[in-house]
Amino acid sequence: MAIVGQNWSALPVPYAIELPDRVRKERYFDPDFYQMEVELLWPRVWQMACRLEEIPQRRDFVEYEVLDQSIVVLRTDDMGVRAFQNACRHRGVRIVEGRGTCESGFTCPFHGWCYGPDGRNTFVPQARTFAEHNLQPEDINLTPVRCEVWGGCAWINLDDDAPPLRPCIEPFATIQDAWKVESLRTERWYACRLPVNWKLAEEAFVEMYHVVETHPQLVIPGRYPPRDGRAIDPRTLIDAEIHYLRTMSEGMDGMVHANDVRIAEGLRDIELPADPTLAMSIWQRQLNDAVVSWHRAAGSDVPDLNDLEAQGINEPMGYCFPHYFVLPMYSAASSYRFRPLGPEETLMEIWSLARFPEGREPEKPTPPEPWECDDPRWPPIPTQDFSNLPRQQRGLHARGFQYMRLSERAEGHISNFERTVDGFVAGLPYERLLPALESINLNPLDRPVVDIDL
Ligand code: FES
Ligand SMILES: [Fe+2]
């Protein structure tokens, strides 16, 4: 790890964030800004490359593509994970496409150079026709890429000098460990091609300010005790809460698992005190306990949800710079990943994750065909979010529009995130970037603008 002792001088960042609550529009389409992200951000960050259930058996592999880079992520014989650059050391052909299982290693389809499942070159046809300096043993193995495992996923980093994974994804990792994210498995997996910049796409999912206008069905009358102390039947609150859980479950395809909604419905008529706030907190505790007991009885690994509540980490969302989110709810979670395909195009994936008893996990998940953002098959909540995004990307190009103005209290994460992007684009050393990462790898919802210490 080389985070100190280098002679860095910050590069000038075009369209840098100057006032923390204003974001210049060019950051979302200017080709030069995008190119700086390509060169200075993406090759220096830990990226979620695949879920481990995509490579369940020895020698299973998947190709992870980001920008013009392709990385092979491979399950090793001792059930570890390794990664290699997907380029034959002869003339550069990608040795794999997509995914599969390499029983006896990889053979390049062009001239037949062979590599073992450990990446070592095992055969060069007509080797005598090459000069010795071109066949030096250490120089003809597949080029390794840094790879670590955390949270049920394999992560890669293209920079050999980057710090290890864990300090770059804290405190997100510690919080999600308490949620036991590593024992979640893919129940469904979707992908969307969005005609917008990758940062714009992410920023549509990191604040609650849009919920009232964009998702009016989630604003459920009677869900909170009245502020003026008026008497309210606790039953009304519980009905509203169950209605909310069902709307989230159906609207997001599993962010609240249908089985957890069923458990909540089973608790509709339990005895409760007349005080609505007390009644609600008792009911929530009972629901947490009922969900946990149901899963433990079935043999699944699930955290004690009331314990998470007591620790203050039962937050509905965890953000991991630059492109990975986990949104845990009761026993299940949604998870998102964003990858740029161009200055104004993004691939967004959504996983519905759930818990299963050991040995009864679902089959290896099949990667989804990306749908367009207006595809009628999207569930209602993403349909609503996706309907705004292309309009926003087009709106940014208006001649009279110069910068976004952020609510410093409700949309602070967007500012904190964009300023961290500036830190990477300026080429700052990791010792300067780590404190910034630590202040944004948190629940982004309702985060204020903070001093990210860059
Ligand atoms: S490019 Fe791979 S064997 Fe020639
Ligand atoms: Fe939304």
Side-chain angles (χ1 to χ4, degrees), residues 204-205 207 210-211 214-215 218 381-382 384-385:
F205 299 92
E207 42 86 359
H210 74 285
V211 171
T214 298
H215 310 296
L218 297 179
I381 294 176
Q384 291 166 328
D385 291 311

Side-chain angles (χ1 to χ4, degrees), residues 15-84:
Y15 316 114
I17 307 285
E18 283 165 3
L19 276 181
D21 53 2
R22 289 187 177 174
V23 187
R24 289 277 301 261
K25 66 172 181 178
E26 292 86 351
R27 300 170 66 88
Y28 301 96
F29 54 77
D30 179 77
D32 294 334
F33 190 86
Y34 179 77
Q35 199 49 39
M36 290 181 84
E37 293 174 342
V38 168
E39 286 165 24
L40 292 155
L41 187 151
W42 290 98
R44 300 174 68 210
V45 287
W46 283 98
Q47 300 175 45
M48 195 284 252
C50 71
R51 292 201 52 87
L52 295 177
E53 60 262 36
E54 294 177 65
I55 46 172
Q57 311 281 353
R58 290 173 176 78
R59 306 196 177 189
D60 287 346
F61 67 84
V62 295
E63 180 190 8
Y64 171 68
E65 284 187 280
V66 59
L67 304 165
D68 62 354
Q69 298 300 300
S70 168
I71 293 114
V72 186
V73 182
L74 172 81
R75 185 74 82 159
T76 55
D77 285 349
D78 59 0
M79 293 306 276
V81 182
R82 300 176 72 146
F84 306 101

Side-chain angles (χ1 to χ4, degrees), residues 88 90-93 108 110-113:
C88 176
H90 176 221
R91 278 165 61 187
V93 168
C108 177
F110 197 179
H111 311 90
W113 283 35

Side-chain angles (χ1 to χ4, degrees), residues 167-168 170-171 321 420 424 433-442 452:
C168 295
E170 289 293 8
F321 184 87
T420 305
F424 275 90
L433 295 167
L434 279 171
L437 291 174
E438 195 161 344
S439 57
I440 62 165
N441 286 332
L442 284 168
I452 57 168

